[in-house]
Amino acid sequence: MEYNFRDIEKKWQQAWIDNKVYQVPSLSDKPKYYVLDMFPYPSGSGLHVGHPLGYIASDIFARYKRLKGFNVLHPMGYDAFGLPAEQYAIEHGVHPAVSTEKNISTFRKQLDNIGFCYDWSREIRTSDPKYYKWTQWIFLQLFNSWYNRKTAKTEPIATLLAILEGEGNQNHPIPDSQFQIEGLTSLTFTAEQWNKWDEQTRQIILMEYRVAYCGYGEVNWCEALGTVLANDEVVNGVSERGGYPVVKKKLRQWYLRITEYADRLLEGLQRVDFSDAMKDMQGNWIGKSTGAEIRFSVQNSSEVIDVYTTRPDTIFGADFMVVAPEHEVVVKIITGEQRTEVEEYVAYVKSRSERERMMEKKISGAFTGAYAVHPFTGRPIPIWISEYVLAGYGTGAIMAVPSGDERDHKFAQYFNIPITNIFGDLYTGEEALMSKDVVLYNSDFLNGMHPERAINLVVDRLEQMGIGRAKVNFKMRDAAFSRQRYWGEPFPIMWKGGVAYPLDEKELPLELPFVESYKPGPEGEGPLANIPEWTERQLETNTMPGYAGSSWYFLRYMDPHNEEAFCDQRFSNYWGQVDLYVGGTEHAVGHLLYSRMWTKALYDLGHISFDEPYKRLLNQGKIGGDSRLVYRVKGGNTFVSAGLKDGYDTDELHADVNMVNGLELDIEAFKQWRPDYAGAEFILEDGKYICGTRLEKMGKRYFNVVNPDDVVERYGADTFRMYEMFLGPVEQDKPWDTKGIEGVHRFLKKLWRLFFGDAGLQVTGEKATPEELKVLHKTIRKIEEDTERFSFNTSVSAFMVCVNELTDLKCTKREVLEPLLIILSPYAPHVSEELWHQLGNTTTVLDAPFPKFEPAYLVESSKEYPISINGKMRTQIDIALDATQQQVEAIVLANPVVQRWTEGKPPKKIIFVKGKMVNVVV
RNA sequence: GCGGAUGUGGCGAAAUUGGUAGACGCAAUAGACUUAGGAUCUAUCGCCGCGAGGCAUGGGGGUUCGAGUCCCUCCAUCCGCACCA
């Protein structure tokens, strides 16, 4: 009987659906385990072989945990809102809902082909009104909340109202705001003031507190996409999607006050199991730094300049100040003779794009003509402006300490500003001394001190003088939360007299209306502004960004059809955190941070009982494409084989990997590929055309996309799954290389032959030999260990070794083969299920318990082994093969030969080197 | 520049805590069975050497009875951040 994977896979995939074997109860007496994949954006090009890598890993783990007796939640869905669908709609006139639906069905077919154990009854789509009703609902929770810094919690806005009415905001000043409130000069006000203000003013002030708020701010505006982008959607000054230029622009936008959560987002990282690289990336993005804010007065002026520094101890080395060119103080302090120069410089800075500024870091700047006063020495300090000081970070102004900061040093050298040495002999004059392992000189009351002590002392002094304080700063900005786009969640917000009011919960979902055109609305507004029914009701015309729906989706899977709540708390209490979250590193600072913040807010508001969504994160590597190259002799239609190309002047072109077998080009297929190649001529080597190769991103334009459907068609889903795992560690990036797949396929055929000889099923009920049981239990242990630590590639190897050994032993005993099928089933579910039933089982192999590992089977009768003392070979002793370390030690210690050589002293260490010898260290 | 990771045969890679380096697989070579191809099976397969043996985990140094693994240093590649004061 042949291993007919096509029939087997079709048969079991259908049986699994018919018997609903993957449906998971929302509550159970069993312990829970939640395995989640980052859900895909259903793009038009479907899956390539790189996408399922993480899905296979999580599927194996989910099945493994199920065998181990857990109630496993392993759902799948689609992140269906987003820009590409809308761009496609603009270009092809197909409504995003239609193209999304079509793409999803392609994805589903491709996923089903691979035999995943998803509970599809829990499928979600972020673009489904039944789903985004709750995205809108959660948005309203955030809108109706503020962040209380005193309790470090998200609280309902009602608690703030009570405070403002009772005591004003003395204890809860308006959060450092980038926005102007008319008529308000200070960040604090009294209860009387508050109670006198009209509704509109109060609402404007409340907006300054809301966790989801609307305001005018500098945003990343992408003209080509016609929308605003979040910081993490901008890469090197261009949009992540499409690579279009992005400029800074002031616009009315919705934001999430994620900065208030910065400390908790940082702290939470210590409680989760993410890779160091991932934690570093998030930590970096949050960018916490501790230092001080210091107020400098300006000579002959009433102006003051606040600076932020992490090194207040170096204040005696402050030789000049630098203010960001956009800083509002610049126009006020500028002196007559410097006006032209400064204005020219400001104009120059404005003319430079974000991108240019990033690419070429030129030293540039201008002197304002004004001087600040040193708070301790009274020394005048020249004030410069330069683009290396960013308006958006800290206070937008710095005290420059050239001897202690590299950029300040270069600036001082470039503009010939005298440098004060505050580090004595350690400072060479050549370059700045950034180290904190120094002693201060030339620094008045700080002389002879190390920076740590000096920092405390300076801050204390400044505080006494009322011109400074310790200050924590973050790089992270509040997250832009609105898009001037159509294909996203509408905001459940209605505008009245310039004030945003939330819709009533009963009006949710606020459904996305159908539109004919996706053109932007007037004045930078989205397409919704073109719909009269929408604007008549004064509904918000922006839509939410892609990350809205994905920020909480892991909760919806727990209770996907609930129409009364986003998730029944009985279920979220049971399932709790995602135990294993699998996905790529590209979401390090976007999705992961946002969803961590939403989780904290929902936790604070009492909707869920945990404040970190993902307990453990596994980042699968990317699979790259292995492109095939052909070489066309310049000016003709002749292609020369790779080995001979050096003799010709050639152009390098991509050939489709699907018409190359190994390295040999299928010439006929190539000729038919494109009309201009039809008459092509070929210069061959050894009668073959050999292609060149290059590793590139897998993508259409390189013609190196391999579709999993093709691989599954040819080798079967089980081979595909095992091969993807066999390729190497899941975390690692690697190229797709079809060469090795035959080996995995051969393994499955060998497995099949263990069960079926020429005459049919040959499995017997005979008792297994100790040798056979040893092979089995060795494998059980190895698979258990390797699967637990996500070492799936070595698991596959262990299965190969096992089958090879059982084949050599001609083992056809049920006692061995049946447990083998159970441990194999997470990796090769179809063939395991088929053989499981062939053995007469009637339930699914998924419900079998994972076989228990018995170490006793690994211990063999005693044999003689050579022994070495301190590396020198001495003699031989009897010892049990594969015994435990304790067993080995007991035997060795009892051995008279060993006692003689160690002169009765207990050895420091006894090492049993697998099956060959014993090493004793005295 | 800063941060993170990686470096082992012709190739993908193994080697829990320092303990037979190269498991497993691909490719290759020889052979068996086949009219042939495919499939399957057997053997060889890091480098040098006829051999005994010697040399090998990016380079150099160190700790140790023993180092791919630990420490120092240099080099290369990949990823992330990038004037963050």
Side-chain angles (χ1 to χ4, degrees), chain A residues 441-568:
Chain A
Y441 284 82
N442 238 338
S443 291
D444 199 297
F445 62 94
L446 302 175
N447 279 336
M449 276 185 209
H450 288 288
E452 283 91 74
R453 225 185 117 210
I455 287 171
N456 290 330
L457 203 62
V458 169
V459 172
D460 284 351
R461 270 297 172 102
L462 291 167
E463 258 171 39
Q464 282 163 26
M465 296 162 73
I467 53 165
R469 62 193 173 108
K471 170 89 198 206
V472 174
N473 235 316
F474 295 97
K475 272 199 271 189
M476 185 167 66
R477 305 275 76 128
D478 279 345
F481 192 66
S482 44
R483 301 290 181 269
Q484 292 65 45
R485 279 305 181 125
Y486 168 70
W487 191 233
E489 299 88 347
F491 282 83
I493 290 288
M494 196 180 271
W495 287 90
K496 243 183 275 169
V499 174
Y501 289 96
L503 293 189
D504 192 273
E505 274 184 35
K506 286 196 279 294
E507 293 186 66
L508 301 185
L510 174 60
E511 288 203 33
L512 191 59
F514 185 83
V515 291
E516 296 292 344
S517 145
Y518 311 95
K519 296 206 172 60
E523 289 163 50
E525 288 198 77
L528 292 181
N530 296 327
I531 304 175
E533 305 89 79
W534 201 262
T535 47
E536 268 162 29
R537 291 179 66 195
Q538 306 232 46
L539 290 166
E540 170 64 60
T541 58
N542 283 331
T543 54
M544 298 188 202
Y547 64 81
S550 62
S551 289
W552 70 282
Y553 77 115
F554 74 100
L555 291 166
R556 188 63 177 172
Y557 285 129
M558 299 172 182
D559 192 11
H561 307 297
N562 194 335
E563 298 194 354
E564 307 302 317
F566 71 94
C567 175
D568 190 319

Side-chain angles (χ1 to χ4, degrees), chain A residues 541-733:
Chain A
T541 58
N542 283 331
T543 54
M544 298 188 202
Y547 64 81
S550 62
S551 289
W552 70 282
Y553 77 115
F554 74 100
L555 291 166
R556 188 63 177 172
Y557 285 129
M558 299 172 182
D559 192 11
H561 307 297
N562 194 335
E563 298 194 354
E564 307 302 317
F566 71 94
C567 175
D568 190 319
Q569 228 167 331
R570 281 184 307 147
F571 300 144
S572 64
N573 284 344
Y574 172 68
W575 290 108
Q577 291 172 287
V578 175
D579 293 282
L580 177 64
Y581 195 31
V582 181
T585 47
E586 65 271 21
H587 298 107
V589 293
H591 158 65
L592 279 171
L593 270 183
Y594 299 126
S595 95
R596 290 182 59 219
M597 177 207 146
W598 284 43
T599 303
K600 286 178 194 304
L602 289 172
Y603 168 79
D604 288 350
L605 296 172
H607 297 301
I608 51 175
S609 56
F610 46 91
D611 78 332
E612 278 293 336
Y614 315 113
K615 198 187 263 181
R616 189 172 183 185
L617 179 66
L618 174 68
N619 295 117
Q620 92 274 15
K622 280 191 252 310
I623 291 190
D626 194 7
S627 304
R628 292 291 180 265
L629 307 167
V630 291
Y631 306 91
R632 185 173 61 191
V633 179
K634 279 201 174 141
N637 205 11
T638 304
F639 291 83
V640 56
S641 187
L644 308 169
K645 75 171 181 348
D646 291 345
Y648 301 83
D649 188 13
T650 58
D651 286 321
E652 192 180 83
L653 301 166
H654 280 86
D656 193 310
V657 284
N658 295 302
M659 47 193 200
V660 179
N661 183 13
L663 293 176
E664 188 187 347
L665 182 70
D666 179 340
I667 290 175
E668 285 314 308
F670 183 72
K671 283 181 169 174
Q672 282 167 24
W673 188 32
R674 293 184 164 189
D676 17 328
Y677 298 158
E681 311 248 334
F682 297 88
I683 301 170
L684 308 176
E685 49 183 315
D686 303 331
K688 296 170 181 173
Y689 188 95
I690 304 298
C691 297
T693 66
R694 186 187 303 143
L695 299 180
E696 291 171 302
K697 235 180 100 173
M698 195 170 277
K700 274 184 188 161
R701 66 179 153 144
Y702 303 120
F703 304 105
N704 59 7
V705 173
V706 181
N707 187 324
D709 295 347
D710 298 340
V711 182
V712 168
E713 171 57 28
R714 187 146 171 215
Y715 297 102
D718 287 339
T719 301
F720 176 68
R721 291 166 62 105
M722 291 193 92
Y723 183 57
E724 285 242 338
M725 293 298 101
F726 188 64
L727 234 34
V730 256
E731 298 96 325
Q732 215 170 77
D733 289 350

